[in-house]
PDB file of all heavy atoms in Angstrom:
ATOM      1  N   TYR A 594     106.895 130.098  23.139  1.00  0.00           N
ATOM      2  CA  TYR A 594     105.684 129.553  23.703  1.00  0.00           C
ATOM      3  C   TYR A 594     105.761 129.647  25.229  1.00  0.00           C
ATOM      4  O   TYR A 594     106.757 129.214  25.830  1.00  0.00           O
ATOM      5  CB  TYR A 594     105.542 128.051  23.301  1.00  0.00           C
ATOM      6  CG  TYR A 594     105.110 127.864  21.864  1.00  0.00           C
ATOM      7  CD1 TYR A 594     105.941 128.275  20.808  1.00  0.00           C
ATOM      8  CD2 TYR A 594     103.875 127.304  21.546  1.00  0.00           C
ATOM      9  CE1 TYR A 594     105.524 128.134  19.487  1.00  0.00           C
ATOM     10  CE2 TYR A 594     103.472 127.131  20.229  1.00  0.00           C
ATOM     11  CZ  TYR A 594     104.322 127.572  19.198  1.00  0.00           C
ATOM     12  OH  TYR A 594     103.916 127.405  17.879  1.00  0.00           O
ATOM     13  N   LEU A 595     104.721 130.236  25.835  1.00  0.00           N
ATOM     14  CA  LEU A 595     104.730 130.442  27.295  1.00  0.00           C
ATOM     15  C   LEU A 595     103.871 129.408  27.982  1.00  0.00           C
ATOM     16  O   LEU A 595     102.663 129.283  27.737  1.00  0.00           O
ATOM     17  CB  LEU A 595     104.219 131.826  27.661  1.00  0.00           C
ATOM     18  CG  LEU A 595     104.047 132.103  29.140  1.00  0.00           C
ATOM     19  CD1 LEU A 595     105.417 132.141  29.885  1.00  0.00           C
ATOM     20  CD2 LEU A 595     103.310 133.395  29.427  1.00  0.00           C
ATOM     21  N   HIS A 596     104.475 128.644  28.914  1.00  0.00           N
ATOM     22  CA  HIS A 596     103.771 127.694  29.755  1.00  0.00           C
ATOM     23  C   HIS A 596     103.532 128.237  31.134  1.00  0.00           C
ATOM     24  O   HIS A 596     104.047 129.300  31.483  1.00  0.00           O
ATOM     25  CB  HIS A 596     104.640 126.414  29.911  1.00  0.00           C
ATOM     26  CG  HIS A 596     104.635 125.550  28.742  1.00  0.00           C
ATOM     27  ND1 HIS A 596     103.622 124.673  28.478  1.00  0.00           N
ATOM     28  CD2 HIS A 596     105.534 125.379  27.742  1.00  0.00           C
ATOM     29  CE1 HIS A 596     103.883 124.012  27.377  1.00  0.00           C
ATOM     30  NE2 HIS A 596     105.046 124.435  26.905  1.00  0.00           N
ATOM     31  N   GLY A 597     102.907 127.434  31.966  1.00  0.00           N
ATOM     32  CA  GLY A 597     102.762 127.789  33.382  1.00  0.00           C
ATOM     33  C   GLY A 597     101.370 127.481  33.853  1.00  0.00           C
ATOM     34  O   GLY A 597     100.369 127.753  33.174  1.00  0.00           O
ATOM     35  N   ASN A 598     101.266 126.917  35.091  1.00  0.00           N
ATOM     36  CA  ASN A 598      99.934 126.554  35.618  1.00  0.00           C
ATOM     37  C   ASN A 598      99.327 127.671  36.462  1.00  0.00           C
ATOM     38  O   ASN A 598      98.211 127.558  36.923  1.00  0.00           O
ATOM     39  CB  ASN A 598     100.010 125.272  36.415  1.00  0.00           C
ATOM     40  CG  ASN A 598     100.839 125.452  37.686  1.00  0.00           C
ATOM     41  OD1 ASN A 598     101.925 125.991  37.640  1.00  0.00           O
ATOM     42  ND2 ASN A 598     100.322 125.010  38.815  1.00  0.00           N
ATOM     43  N   ASN A 599     100.073 128.751  36.640  1.00  0.00           N
ATOM     44  CA  ASN A 599      99.530 129.910  37.417  1.00  0.00           C
ATOM     45  C   ASN A 599     100.177 131.169  36.921  1.00  0.00           C
ATOM     46  O   ASN A 599     100.840 131.861  37.715  1.00  0.00           O
ATOM     47  CB  ASN A 599      99.752 129.664  38.903  1.00  0.00           C
ATOM     48  CG  ASN A 599      99.021 130.710  39.743  1.00  0.00           C
ATOM     49  OD1 ASN A 599      98.064 131.336  39.282  1.00  0.00           O
ATOM     50  ND2 ASN A 599      99.507 130.926  40.974  1.00  0.00           N
ATOM     51  N   LYS A 600      99.979 131.461  35.687  1.00  0.00           N
ATOM     52  CA  LYS A 600     100.628 132.649  35.119  1.00  0.00           C
ATOM     53  C   LYS A 600      99.965 133.907  35.697  1.00  0.00           C
ATOM     54  O   LYS A 600      98.730 133.946  35.849  1.00  0.00           O
ATOM     55  CB  LYS A 600     100.413 132.663  33.582  1.00  0.00           C
ATOM     56  CG  LYS A 600     100.954 131.440  32.853  1.00  0.00           C
ATOM     57  CD  LYS A 600     100.606 131.512  31.377  1.00  0.00           C
ATOM     58  CE  LYS A 600     100.917 130.232  30.608  1.00  0.00           C
ATOM     59  NZ  LYS A 600      99.896 129.156  30.791  1.00  0.00           N
ATOM     60  N   SER A 601     100.766 134.886  36.022  1.00  0.00           N
ATOM     61  CA  SER A 601     100.178 136.118  36.588  1.00  0.00           C
ATOM     62  C   SER A 601      99.644 136.967  35.442  1.00  0.00           C
ATOM     63  O   SER A 601      99.979 136.773  34.252  1.00  0.00           O
ATOM     64  CB  SER A 601     101.251 136.887  37.327  1.00  0.00           C
ATOM     65  OG  SER A 601     102.207 137.373  36.420  1.00  0.00           O
ATOM     66  N   VAL A 602      98.842 137.953  35.822  1.00  0.00           N
ATOM     67  CA  VAL A 602      98.310 138.883  34.814  1.00  0.00           C
ATOM     68  C   VAL A 602      99.462 139.591  34.124  1.00  0.00           C
ATOM     69  O   VAL A 602      99.479 139.784  32.900  1.00  0.00           O
ATOM     70  CB  VAL A 602      97.326 139.882  35.462  1.00  0.00           C
ATOM     71  CG1 VAL A 602      96.942 140.979  34.499  1.00  0.00           C
ATOM     72  CG2 VAL A 602      96.089 139.145  35.965  1.00  0.00           C
ATOM     73  N   ASP A 603     100.469 139.941  34.917  1.00  0.00           N
ATOM     74  CA  ASP A 603     101.675 140.605  34.333  1.00  0.00           C
ATOM     75  C   ASP A 603     102.322 139.705  33.307  1.00  0.00           C
ATOM     76  O   ASP A 603     102.765 140.161  32.234  1.00  0.00           O
ATOM     77  CB  ASP A 603     102.695 140.973  35.413  1.00  0.00           C
ATOM     78  CG  ASP A 603     102.280 142.208  36.188  1.00  0.00           C
ATOM     79  OD1 ASP A 603     101.277 142.820  35.782  1.00  0.00           O
ATOM     80  OD2 ASP A 603     102.973 142.526  37.162  1.00  0.00           O
ATOM     81  N   GLU A 604     102.468 138.453  33.629  1.00  0.00           N
ATOM     82  CA  GLU A 604     103.121 137.515  32.706  1.00  0.00           C
ATOM     83  C   GLU A 604     102.293 137.374  31.422  1.00  0.00           C
ATOM     84  O   GLU A 604     102.825 137.371  30.302  1.00  0.00           O
ATOM     85  CB  GLU A 604     103.345 136.159  33.352  1.00  0.00           C
ATOM     86  CG  GLU A 604     104.481 136.183  34.385  1.00  0.00           C
ATOM     87  CD  GLU A 604     104.603 134.883  35.195  1.00  0.00           C
ATOM     88  OE1 GLU A 604     103.555 134.248  35.486  1.00  0.00           O
ATOM     89  OE2 GLU A 604     105.731 134.510  35.541  1.00  0.00           O
ATOM     90  N   LEU A 605     100.973 137.282  31.598  1.00  0.00           N
ATOM     91  CA  LEU A 605     100.109 137.154  30.407  1.00  0.00           C
ATOM     92  C   LEU A 605     100.171 138.406  29.566  1.00  0.00           C
ATOM     93  O   LEU A 605     100.230 138.346  28.318  1.00  0.00           O
ATOM     94  CB  LEU A 605      98.667 136.817  30.825  1.00  0.00           C
ATOM     95  CG  LEU A 605      98.482 135.421  31.448  1.00  0.00           C
ATOM     96  CD1 LEU A 605      97.083 135.268  32.015  1.00  0.00           C
ATOM     97  CD2 LEU A 605      98.758 134.330  30.399  1.00  0.00           C
ATOM     98  N   THR A 606     100.198 139.552  30.230  1.00  0.00           N
ATOM     99  CA  THR A 606     100.259 140.828  29.505  1.00  0.00           C
ATOM    100  C   THR A 606     101.562 140.922  28.713  1.00  0.00           C
ATOM    101  O   THR A 606     101.589 141.322  27.546  1.00  0.00           O
ATOM    102  CB  THR A 606     100.105 141.998  30.488  1.00  0.00           C
ATOM    103  OG1 THR A 606      98.955 141.780  31.281  1.00  0.00           O
ATOM    104  CG2 THR A 606     100.025 143.312  29.759  1.00  0.00           C
ATOM    105  N   LEU A 607     102.663 140.538  29.366  1.00  0.00           N
ATOM    106  CA  LEU A 607     103.964 140.548  28.692  1.00  0.00           C
ATOM    107  C   LEU A 607     103.919 139.603  27.489  1.00  0.00           C
ATOM    108  O   LEU A 607     104.409 139.952  26.402  1.00  0.00           O
ATOM    109  CB  LEU A 607     105.060 140.091  29.669  1.00  0.00           C
ATOM    110  CG  LEU A 607     106.473 139.979  29.100  1.00  0.00           C
ATOM    111  CD1 LEU A 607     106.991 141.359  28.678  1.00  0.00           C
ATOM    112  CD2 LEU A 607     107.430 139.360  30.149  1.00  0.00           C
ATOM    113  N   ALA A 608     103.350 138.428  27.675  1.00  0.00           N
ATOM    114  CA  ALA A 608     103.293 137.457  26.576  1.00  0.00           C
ATOM    115  C   ALA A 608     102.492 138.008  25.394  1.00  0.00           C
ATOM    116  O   ALA A 608     102.889 137.892  24.251  1.00  0.00           O
ATOM    117  CB  ALA A 608     102.675 136.159  27.067  1.00  0.00           C
ATOM    118  N   ILE A 609     101.364 138.667  25.739  1.00  0.00           N
ATOM    119  CA  ILE A 609     100.509 139.192  24.657  1.00  0.00           C
ATOM    120  C   ILE A 609     101.240 140.301  23.916  1.00  0.00           C
ATOM    121  O   ILE A 609     101.305 140.341  22.674  1.00  0.00           O
ATOM    122  CB  ILE A 609      99.167 139.725  25.250  1.00  0.00           C
ATOM    123  CG1 ILE A 609      98.342 138.579  25.775  1.00  0.00           C
ATOM    124  CG2 ILE A 609      98.390 140.513  24.189  1.00  0.00           C
ATOM    125  CD1 ILE A 609      97.166 139.003  26.668  1.00  0.00           C
ATOM    126  N   SER A 610     101.894 141.184  24.677  1.00  0.00           N
ATOM    127  CA  SER A 610     102.580 142.289  23.998  1.00  0.00           C
ATOM    128  C   SER A 610     103.809 141.799  23.195  1.00  0.00           C
ATOM    129  O   SER A 610     104.204 142.375  22.215  1.00  0.00           O
ATOM    130  CB  SER A 610     102.950 143.398  24.953  1.00  0.00           C
ATOM    131  OG  SER A 610     103.863 142.881  25.916  1.00  0.00           O
ATOM    132  N   THR A 611     104.372 140.703  23.648  1.00  0.00           N
ATOM    133  CA  THR A 611     105.501 140.128  22.925  1.00  0.00           C
ATOM    134  C   THR A 611     105.048 139.443  21.668  1.00  0.00           C
ATOM    135  O   THR A 611     105.782 139.306  20.675  1.00  0.00           O
ATOM    136  CB  THR A 611     106.203 139.040  23.823  1.00  0.00           C
ATOM    137  OG1 THR A 611     106.555 139.652  25.025  1.00  0.00           O
ATOM    138  CG2 THR A 611     107.436 138.493  23.181  1.00  0.00           C
ATOM    139  N   GLY A 612     103.797 138.952  21.705  1.00  0.00           N
ATOM    140  CA  GLY A 612     103.266 138.219  20.522  1.00  0.00           C
ATOM    141  C   GLY A 612     103.613 136.748  20.565  1.00  0.00           C
ATOM    142  O   GLY A 612     103.561 136.019  19.559  1.00  0.00           O
ATOM    143  N   CYS A 613     103.945 136.228  21.745  1.00  0.00           N
ATOM    144  CA  CYS A 613     104.290 134.815  21.808  1.00  0.00           C
ATOM    145  C   CYS A 613     103.006 133.992  21.980  1.00  0.00           C
ATOM    146  O   CYS A 613     101.936 134.510  22.286  1.00  0.00           O
ATOM    147  CB  CYS A 613     105.302 134.530  22.919  1.00  0.00           C
ATOM    148  SG  CYS A 613     104.626 134.352  24.552  1.00  0.00           S
ATOM    149  N   THR A 614     103.111 132.702  21.745  1.00  0.00           N
ATOM    150  CA  THR A 614     101.964 131.818  21.899  1.00  0.00           C
ATOM    151  C   THR A 614     101.834 131.446  23.364  1.00  0.00           C
ATOM    152  O   THR A 614     102.830 131.213  24.041  1.00  0.00           O
ATOM    153  CB  THR A 614     102.155 130.538  21.058  1.00  0.00           C
ATOM    154  OG1 THR A 614     102.351 130.950  19.675  1.00  0.00           O
ATOM    155  CG2 THR A 614     100.974 129.615  21.136  1.00  0.00           C
ATOM    156  N   ILE A 615     100.591 131.401  23.840  1.00  0.00           N
ATOM    157  CA  ILE A 615     100.372 131.072  25.285  1.00  0.00           C
ATOM    158  C   ILE A 615      99.761 129.680  25.386  1.00  0.00           C
ATOM    159  O   ILE A 615      98.756 129.400  24.746  1.00  0.00           O
ATOM    160  CB  ILE A 615      99.442 132.128  25.903  1.00  0.00           C
ATOM    161  CG1 ILE A 615     100.093 133.551  25.803  1.00  0.00           C
ATOM    162  CG2 ILE A 615      99.133 131.769  27.357  1.00  0.00           C
ATOM    163  CD1 ILE A 615      99.189 134.663  26.246  1.00  0.00           C
ATOM    164  N   VAL A 616     100.396 128.834  26.161  1.00  0.00           N
ATOM    165  CA  VAL A 616      99.883 127.478  26.383  1.00  0.00           C
ATOM    166  C   VAL A 616      98.970 127.552  27.600  1.00  0.00           C
ATOM    167  O   VAL A 616      99.427 127.602  28.739  1.00  0.00           O
ATOM    168  CB  VAL A 616     101.005 126.460  26.569  1.00  0.00           C
ATOM    169  CG1 VAL A 616     100.442 125.038  26.649  1.00  0.00           C
ATOM    170  CG2 VAL A 616     102.037 126.551  25.440  1.00  0.00           C
ATOM    171  N   VAL A 617      97.657 127.598  27.331  1.00  0.00           N
ATOM    172  CA  VAL A 617      96.693 127.828  28.416  1.00  0.00           C
ATOM    173  C   VAL A 617      96.500 126.579  29.245  1.00  0.00           C
ATOM    174  O   VAL A 617      96.306 125.496  28.702  1.00  0.00           O
ATOM    175  CB  VAL A 617      95.341 128.308  27.859  1.00  0.00           C
ATOM    176  CG1 VAL A 617      94.315 128.506  28.949  1.00  0.00           C
ATOM    177  CG2 VAL A 617      95.549 129.615  27.066  1.00  0.00           C
ATOM    178  N   ASP A 618      96.562 126.750  30.569  1.00  0.00           N
ATOM    179  CA  ASP A 618      96.596 125.606  31.457  1.00  0.00           C
ATOM    180  C   ASP A 618      95.249 125.357  32.149  1.00  0.00           C
ATOM    181  O   ASP A 618      94.952 124.226  32.531  1.00  0.00           O
ATOM    182  CB  ASP A 618      97.662 125.893  32.542  1.00  0.00           C
ATOM    183  CG  ASP A 618      97.893 124.724  33.457  1.00  0.00           C
ATOM    184  OD1 ASP A 618      97.172 124.601  34.489  1.00  0.00           O
ATOM    185  OD2 ASP A 618      98.765 123.900  33.159  1.00  0.00           O
ATOM    186  N   ASN A 619      94.426 126.395  32.330  1.00  0.00           N
ATOM    187  CA  ASN A 619      93.241 126.200  33.193  1.00  0.00           C
ATOM    188  C   ASN A 619      92.146 127.268  32.893  1.00  0.00           C
ATOM    189  O   ASN A 619      92.398 128.210  32.138  1.00  0.00           O
ATOM    190  CB  ASN A 619      93.659 126.259  34.672  1.00  0.00           C
ATOM    191  CG  ASN A 619      94.460 127.528  34.984  1.00  0.00           C
ATOM    192  OD1 ASN A 619      93.928 128.638  34.818  1.00  0.00           O
ATOM    193  ND2 ASN A 619      95.677 127.367  35.376  1.00  0.00           N
TER     194      ASN A 619
END
Side-chain angles (χ1 to χ4, degrees):
Y594 285 64
L595 174 68
H596 283 279
N598 65 313
N599 188 21
K600 302 174 189 80
S601 68
V602 171
D603 282 355
E604 286 173 325
L605 291 172
T606 307
L607 177 65
I609 293 166
S610 62
T611 305
C613 83
T614 302
I615 299 173
V616 186
V617 178
D618 186 272
N619 54 60

